[in-house]
């Protein structure tokens, strides 16, 4: 049975990018008909919050919803749940889809926004793979939660020591289970300098997480219901695991648009968009983890982040209803909690800067988060990078105790990089001061002044 449906704005994908598009379009146009197609039945849930639902720090998974379905429907949004899109015909402005009952529908749109996100990279599994999981969707979460409820599950291997991998390792540990992290590189958290990664590494060990580095996993093998992590068919570790969670990165879910004729980046397969989030196809926009993004230091790149998805979706929604809007670009700001530590970065690393034809110069400084005479001062490690020629700040990495306002101090550097501030400009910023929370020269300015001296 087929049905034909008309809409003005059709959105494929109900996560950050899709919902942000819909809400911005509705904000600017109260009359436009908006239809959102979802592959599942969980619109606008925070995928970034799933590790905290695993740990039960978020006690109910429903609390992950940025907005409830009722909240969203109050914006007069039409949802097509549990519906899979099979084809986009951009010439005829048609989308073909079918629901979980096999009922096929054809949607005619005036404008289309595709926000199908990304999917996890996987590792081959030999034998029964029911205990091997990825973590990207609510169905992935439910699968993991079901196995964790089984009292026979006591040991968990986490493949990948990036942001999500370390969040999962912490979550598993908080549940009282054994967690082992495997990292292909020489140190965990390759998005910061190895010296910072080592501090994170030690924090993991201190809290009972076993860490195995220089361990690129090629295969997972099930033997009698236990899982072994293997490299080139050799066991890396003698310990068998009850469960494996693979978090080794993502690839764009761009096939629908590729088949429709969209241009993609040759390295990542991410859909190429302009600053209005338009693809090369007429009346077709893309945003979020399936699309390229403009980096203010690197140009067009692929860097899937939740914050970027929200911003790009908002830009797409405005342009679709005729309000010109431009995506201003990102500087790659990211932050992570690992037990009692917060580690963050913004801008680019010195190695990235050199590859991008900057002339980087860096300093590392360890400084108290507030005046030492007031009890409870904690040390912050800051690595600050500038360009030797222009003196502009191009990168910062910060690590410290969870009480030390690491994220917000990183945001100061992010603002400086966004606005192309020099090291000299940065010292002139008028920042708040109280002995309880900082110093007359805040930690961020203290390291900037060290770098200024080095530049001279």
């Amino acid at each position: 049975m087929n049905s034909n449906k008309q809409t003005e704005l059709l959105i494929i994908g109900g996560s950050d990018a899709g919902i942000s598009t819909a809400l911005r379009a509705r904000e600017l146009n109260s009359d436009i008909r908006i239809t959102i197609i979802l592959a599942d039945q969980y619109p606008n849930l925070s995928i970034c919050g799933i590790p905290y639902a695993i740990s039960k720090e978020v006690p109910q998974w429903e609390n992950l919803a940025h907005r409830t379905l009722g909240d969203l429907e109050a914006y007069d949004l039409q949802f097509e749940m549990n519906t899979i899109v099979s084809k986009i015909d951009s010439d005829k402005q048609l989308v073909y889809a079918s629901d979980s009952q096999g009922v096929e529908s054809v949607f005619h749109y005036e404008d289309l926004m595709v926000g199908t996100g990304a999917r996890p990279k996987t590792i081959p599994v030999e034998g029964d793979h029911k205990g091997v999981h990825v973590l990207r969707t609510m169905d992935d979460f439910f699968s993991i939660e079901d196995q964790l409820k089984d009292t026979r599950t006591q040991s968990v291997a986490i493949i990948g020591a990036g942001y999500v991998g370390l969040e999962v390792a912490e979550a598993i540990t908080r549940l009282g289970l054994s967690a082992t992290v495997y990292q292909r590189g020489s140190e965990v958290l390759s998005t910061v300098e190895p010296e910072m990664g080592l501090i994170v590494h030690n924090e993991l060990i201190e809290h009972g997480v076993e860490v195995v580095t220089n361990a690129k996993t090629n295969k997972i093998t099930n033997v009698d219901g236990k899982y072994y992590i293997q490299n080139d068919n050799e066991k890396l570790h003698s310990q068998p695991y009850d469960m494996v969670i693979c978090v080794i990165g993502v690839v764009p879910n761009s096939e629908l648009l590729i088949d429709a004729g969209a241009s993609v980046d040759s390295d990542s397969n991410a859909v190429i968009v302009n600053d209005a989030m338009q693809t090369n196809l007429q009346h077709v926009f893309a945003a979020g983890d399936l699309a390229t993004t403009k980096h203010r230091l690197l140009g067009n790149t692929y860097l899937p982040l939740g914050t970027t998805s929200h911003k790009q979706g908002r830009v797409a929604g405005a342009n679709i209803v005729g309000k010109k809007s431009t995506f201003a670009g990102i500087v790659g700001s990211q932050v992570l909690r690992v037990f009692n530590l917060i580690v963050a970065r913004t801008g680019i690393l010195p190695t990235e800067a050199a590859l991008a034809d900057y002339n980087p110069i860096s300093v590392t400084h360890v400084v108290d988060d507030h005046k030492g005479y007031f009890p409870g001062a904690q040390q912050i490690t800051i690595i600050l990078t500038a360009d030797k020629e222009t003196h502009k700040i191009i990168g910062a990495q910060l690590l410290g105790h969870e009480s030390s306002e690491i994220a917000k101090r990183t945001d100061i550097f992010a603002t400086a990089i966004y606005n192309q501030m020099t090291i000299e400009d940065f010292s002139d910023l008028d920042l708040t001061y109280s002995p309880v929370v900082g110093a007359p020269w805040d930690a961020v300015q203290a390291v900037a002044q060290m770098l200024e001296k080095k530049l001279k």
Side-chain angles (χ1 to χ4, degrees):
M1 181 178 180
N2 294 316
S3 63
N4 295 303
K5 301 181 180 183
Q6 300 278 336
T7 191
E8 292 172 89
L9 169 55
L10 181 63
I11 298 170
I12 305 174
S15 192
D16 297 339
I19 296 299
S20 293
T21 299
L23 293 177
R24 183 58 169 162
R26 173 61 71 230
E27 178 185 350
L28 298 172
N29 186 322
S30 59
D31 298 322
I32 186 173
R33 288 173 293 166
I34 302 173
T35 303
I36 304 174
I37 300 176
L38 278 81
D40 57 22
Q41 56 191 28
Y42 309 107
N44 211 201
L45 262 70
S46 173
I47 302 305
C48 297
I50 289 179
Y52 309 107
I54 291 174
S55 70
K56 299 305 177 186
E57 291 172 274
V58 176
Q60 302 294 329
W61 67 263
E62 291 89 348
N63 295 343
L64 296 176
H66 294 300
R67 299 167 188 82
T68 67
L69 180 58
D71 293 336
L72 293 168
E73 288 176 336
Y75 288 95
D76 192 21
L77 307 177
Q78 175 66 44
F79 288 94
E80 299 281 343
M81 306 281 198
N82 298 307
T83 299
I84 303 297
V85 174
S86 58
K87 181 182 176 183
I88 297 169
D89 185 334
S90 62
D91 291 332
K92 296 180 180 178
Q93 293 173 251
L94 299 175
V95 163
Y96 297 83
S98 57
D99 65 18
S100 57
Q101 305 301 314
V103 177
E104 297 179 346
S105 296
V106 180
F107 296 84
H108 184 275
Y109 61 84
E110 294 182 15
D111 287 288
L112 173 67
M113 207 297 287
V114 183
T116 47
R119 63 182 181 277
K121 295 178 181 178
T122 58
I123 295 172
V125 180
E126 186 176 280
D128 187 345
H129 64 274
K130 66 180 180 181
V132 179
H133 307 267
V134 293
L135 184 56
R136 188 70 182 177
T137 68
M138 289 309 299
D139 283 342
D140 296 333
F141 164 72
F142 295 137
S143 178
I144 290 169
E145 189 177 50
D146 284 345
Q147 186 169 354
L148 290 173
K149 289 176 181 176
D150 187 335
T151 56
R152 292 172 295 181
T153 300
Q154 294 295 314
S155 59
V156 182
I158 298 100
I159 313 299
Y163 288 85
V164 179
L166 298 187
E167 288 169 345
V168 171
E170 180 177 345
I172 295 300
T173 304
R174 287 179 181 272
L175 294 175
L177 305 177
S178 168
T180 303
V181 174
Y182 285 85
Q183 169 71 340
R184 66 179 178 178
S186 60
E187 195 48 88
V188 302
L189 206 61
S190 58
T191 51
V192 297
E193 294 295 291
E195 61 193 272
M196 280 196 173
L198 178 60
I199 299 172
V200 174
H201 185 145
N202 291 334
E203 180 79 359
L204 291 163
I205 292 173
E206 186 177 325
H207 286 84
V209 178
E210 187 171 359
V211 179
V212 182
T213 55
N214 294 308
K216 183 179 179 181
T217 302
N218 289 342
K219 185 168 67 171
I220 301 164
T221 300
N222 181 302
V223 179
D224 298 328
K226 298 290 185 178
Y227 295 92
Y228 294 85
I229 311 305
Q230 295 184 302
N231 181 359
D232 295 330
N233 298 318
E234 295 295 329
K235 290 177 183 175
L236 285 170
H237 203 270
S238 60
Q239 179 180 344
Y241 299 99
D242 301 313
M243 179 179 183
V244 180
I245 302 176
C246 297
V247 277
I248 56 173
V250 298
V251 293
N253 261 331
S254 53
E255 285 75 15
L256 275 173
L257 281 173
I258 291 174
D259 291 344
S263 298
V264 296
D265 174 70
S266 59
D267 293 327
S268 65
N269 252 15
V271 177
I272 296 172
V273 292
N274 62 17
D275 289 347
M277 308 316 300
Q278 295 167 312
T279 71
N280 62 302
L281 304 175
Q282 288 291 313
H283 302 288
V284 180
F285 296 72
D289 290 356
L290 87 160
T292 57
T293 189
K294 179 172 74 176
H295 194 294
R296 293 175 73 89
L297 297 174
L298 299 175
N300 285 334
T301 188
Y302 181 62
L303 184 57
L305 296 169
T307 48
T308 303
S309 296
H310 284 277
K311 294 181 180 74
Q312 289 185 333
R314 183 175 170 85
V315 169
N319 284 297
I320 286 168
V321 297
K323 182 175 176 59
K324 186 176 180 180
S325 184
T326 299
F327 179 60
I330 65 169
V331 294
S333 303
Q334 303 165 61
V335 64
L336 167 71
R337 186 194 75 182
V338 183
F339 294 102
N340 297 323
L341 289 181
I342 302 293
V343 57
R345 63 163 282 180
T346 188
I348 52 180
L349 303 181
T351 49
E352 295 169 330
L355 291 172
D357 294 328
Y358 291 94
N359 192 357
I361 182 171
S362 302
V363 295
T364 301
H365 189 37
V366 180
V367 60
D368 285 347
D369 61 1
H370 63 259
K371 292 302 293 182
Y373 61 73
F374 189 86
Q378 301 279 350
Q379 290 190 325
I380 304 174
T381 300
I382 305 176
I383 302 174
L384 184 61
T385 304
D387 178 69
K388 285 183 184 179
E389 310 303 326
T390 64
H391 291 202
K392 290 178 182 178
I393 298 172
I394 57 175
Q397 303 162 65
L398 288 81
L399 181 149
H401 190 267
E402 60 183 349
S403 65
S404 296
E405 297 289 355
I406 297 299
K408 293 309 164 189
R409 283 183 159 107
T410 305
D411 289 343
I412 300 172
F413 284 123
T415 303
I417 294 168
Y418 183 95
N419 288 289
Q420 301 185 357
M421 292 181 68
T422 66
I423 286 291
E424 293 81 3
D425 294 334
F426 196 80
S427 285
D428 292 333
L429 287 176
D430 184 21
L431 305 180
T432 57
Y433 162 60
S434 165
V436 178
V437 295
W441 292 109
D442 190 78
V444 296
Q445 289 174 310
V447 69
Q449 289 167 359
M450 286 186 65
L451 187 51
E452 184 178 353
K453 290 178 184 177
K454 190 172 180 178
L455 278 165
K456 292 178 178 178

